[in-house]
Amino acid sequence: MKEQLEQVYRTAIDELGHITNSDALREWELKFIGRKGEITLMLRQTGQLPAEERADFGKRANDIKNELTQAFEERESLIRQQELAQSLEEGDIDVTLPGRPRRTGGLHPSTQTLRQIQEIWAEMGFQVYRSRDVEDDDTNFTLLNIPPHHPARDMWDTFYTTQDGVILRTHTSPGQIRAMQDYGEDGTKPIRVILPGMCYRYEQISARSEIQFYQVEGLAIGKSIRMTDLKGTIADFARRLYGPETQVRYRASYFPFTEPSMEVDVQCMLCDGEGCSVCKHTGWLEIMGCGMVHPTVLRNGGYDPTEWSGFAFGMGPERITMLKHDIQDIRYFWANDMRFLSQF
Ligand code: DAH
C-alpha cells in the first residue's frame, strides 16, 4: 500500500503540472484530494494496516495530502490570473459598463413620524415610557374605568388569548396605569410621559383599519393641572408638528378614562382649510383624543384625585402620516412594497 501511495502521489504531481484551466483543476481536486479522492481514501484505510506500519504510513499520507493541497492552491492562483488576463484580452469584460447602484436604506414612514412625535414631546419635557404589548384585561379596561360588560368595551374589538384575562392591548392607555404605578411612588410624584407602542384590534382589515397599528399616548399628572394646560400643550404640539400657523380646535367627545373628553382637529394641511377630499370639505382633520384624567383612573394609579389632577391624550401616527401625505390606504404600512416605502 505504501508503494501504491507513492505511485498516486507521483501521478498527481505529474497531472497537476499539465493542467491549464480551472475545470480540469476542479476534476483533479476531486480525483486526488477531495472527500472521495484517492489520497483521502488511502488515508482512511490506515487502520487496516498492521499496527507497526500505521504510524509511518499515516504520517507520509498526511504529508502528501498537505503537499498536494499546497501545490493545488498555487496552481489555482496561477490559472486564475491567466484566465483573468485572457478574458481581459478577449474583451469579455466591458470596463465602460456603469456599476450596479447600491441602494441605501431608509426609515419606515411610521418610524419617521414616531421619532418626530417623540422629539417634540421630549422638547416639552415628556419622557418615553415603554409599556407592554401583552396586557391583562383589568389594566386594558377595568382600571381605565371600563368595567366588564360596560357597553364602552365595544369601542375596542379585542384579541383574546387562551389564557384567561390575557389580551393584546387594544390601545396604549393601559400604559397610563403602569406609568402611574411605576413612577408615581404611591401617588406622590408628578408624571410627564408619552407611551409609544403597537396596538392590536380584532378588525376586518380594510383601507381604513388594520389589526395592528401604533399609538402614542401621553400622560401628565400634577397638583394643579387644568384643562387650559391640556389645550395649550396640545396646540403647542400641533404647531411644532405642522408649523407655527396651524389652527387647532377642540370638540367635546367621550372616553371612559377622561372627563371631560375632547377630540382635537387641526386645520387641513393639504388645502389650508379651504376644503378638499382629504378633509371631506370640512377644512379640519381629527388627529387625537384627549381629556382630563378621570378621578377613578387617578385613584387606580395610586393618586388621590382631591389633590392630584392630570391630562391624557392618544394619537395614531399612521393616521397622522396618512393625512400628511394624502395616503389613501392604511394597508400600505404593512405591505412592504418598495414602491411605497422608497417615497419617504
Ligand atoms: N385610547 C383611546 C383609543 O384608543 C385614545 C385616547 C383618547 C387616549 C383619549 C387618551 C385619551 O389618553 O385621553 O381610542
Side-chain angles (χ1 to χ4, degrees):
M1 204 152 104
K2 210 163 169 206
E3 186 40 44
Q4 197 192 341
L5 176 68
E6 298 298 334
Q7 180 90 42
V8 174
Y9 171 54
R10 282 192 297 272
T11 318
I13 289 287
D14 182 51
E15 286 186 16
L16 186 64
H18 291 98
I19 288 175
T20 52
N21 66 69
S22 41
D23 286 345
L25 192 67
R26 210 48 64 206
E27 268 172 40
W28 182 94
E29 183 187 18
L30 287 177
K31 182 170 166 197
F32 293 107
I33 56 174
R35 224 158 40 86
K36 290 186 177 157
E38 291 183 30
I39 301 287
T40 316
L41 292 179
M42 290 182 87
L43 248 173
R44 245 179 248 153
Q45 285 166 13
T46 310
Q48 293 166 14
L49 290 168
E52 64 277 12
E53 287 177 31
R54 273 180 219 160
D56 273 356
F57 181 84
K59 180 169 183 318
R60 178 69 185 139
N62 258 321
D63 286 347
I64 286 179
K65 188 164 185 191
N66 290 337
E67 209 176 300
L68 289 179
T69 305
Q70 200 187 338
F72 166 78
E73 282 165 4
E74 280 164 18
R75 192 87 199 158
E76 191 182 34
S77 92
L78 189 74
I79 288 176
R80 226 185 255 156
Q81 276 174 26
Q82 284 171 352
E83 286 182 344
L84 179 66
Q86 192 182 357
S87 75
L88 280 173
E89 196 149 304
E90 289 170 358
D92 286 351
I93 297 175
D94 181 354
V95 292
T96 65
L97 276 178
R100 291 193 190 92
R102 257 174 209 263
R103 299 231 230 159
T104 45
L107 293 176
H108 192 280
S110 291
T111 310
Q112 291 182 25
T113 307
L114 268 175
R115 290 195 182 176
Q116 202 184 355
I117 291 172
Q118 278 169 214
E119 227 167 83
I120 294 173
W121 286 108
E123 282 169 4
M124 299 202 272
F126 284 74
Q127 190 176 344
V128 170
Y129 183 92
R130 298 225 172 257
S131 187
R132 59 194 70 183
D133 289 33
V134 179
E135 260 301 354
D136 52 67
D137 188 277
D138 263 3
T139 317
N140 194 82
F141 291 121
T142 310
L143 296 177
L144 287 169
N145 199 28
I146 319 166
H149 312 298
H150 193 282
R153 287 207 176 197
D154 287 351
M155 289 166 78
W156 298 275
D157 295 309
T158 309
F159 278 114
Y160 294 91
T161 67
T162 48
Q163 192 117 9
D164 200 24
V166 177
I167 63 167
L168 297 181
R169 65 172 168 202
T170 56
H171 51 172
T172 43
S173 302
Q176 289 188 31
I177 299 288
R178 303 233 171 245
M180 285 191 269
Q181 290 171 347
D182 232 24
Y183 284 174
E185 299 186 14
D186 298 321
T188 61
K189 289 272 179 311
I191 290 183
R192 255 192 226 180
V193 288
I194 56 163
L195 307 101
M198 199 56 83
C199 302
Y200 308 85
R201 287 193 199 165
Y202 185 56
E203 304 250 13
Q204 182 68 47
I205 296 175
S206 72
R208 313 210 65 206
S209 54
E210 258 289 0
I211 57 173
Q212 196 176 340
F213 55 91
Y214 280 109
Q215 276 191 351
V216 179
E217 188 87 10
L219 176 69
I221 307 271
K223 284 250 167 152
S224 55
I225 292 183
R226 291 181 292 243
M227 184 104 154
T228 44
D229 297 311
L230 169 61
K231 290 175 71 178
T233 310
I234 298 290
D236 193 14
F237 167 77
R239 292 187 188 119
R240 287 172 193 243
L241 185 65
Y242 293 114
E245 306 302 326
T246 306
Q247 295 295 308
V248 181
R249 77 176 183 187
Y250 301 88
R251 280 179 290 110
S253 183
Y254 169 75
F255 298 102
F257 29 86
T258 42
E259 180 60 36
S261 305
M262 305 182 294
E263 275 167 316
V264 184
D265 297 339
V266 293
Q267 202 169 53
C268 179
M269 67 293 287
L270 295 167
C271 63
D272 288 327
E274 296 281 312
C276 67
S277 62
V278 175
C279 61
K280 305 211 178 68
H281 304 283
T282 62
W284 296 93
L285 296 168
E286 184 204 319
I287 59 158
M288 69 171 96
C290 64
M292 301 306 289
V293 181
H294 195 285
T296 301
V297 176
L298 281 172
R299 215 175 287 119
N300 291 338
Y303 287 87
D304 176 359
T306 61
E307 262 188 65
W308 295 84
S309 57
F311 63 73
F313 54 85
M315 62 187 102
E318 280 95 354
R319 192 178 146 73
I320 286 176
T321 312
M322 287 172 80
L323 295 175
K324 186 166 163 192
H325 297 291
D326 192 12
I327 298 164
Q328 305 285 347
D329 194 322
I330 196 171
R331 289 170 292 195
Y332 283 125
F333 286 88
W334 283 109
N336 269 345
D337 185 335
M338 288 303 290
R339 290 170 302 180
F340 172 73
L341 296 174
S342 59
Q343 293 181 52
F344 299 93

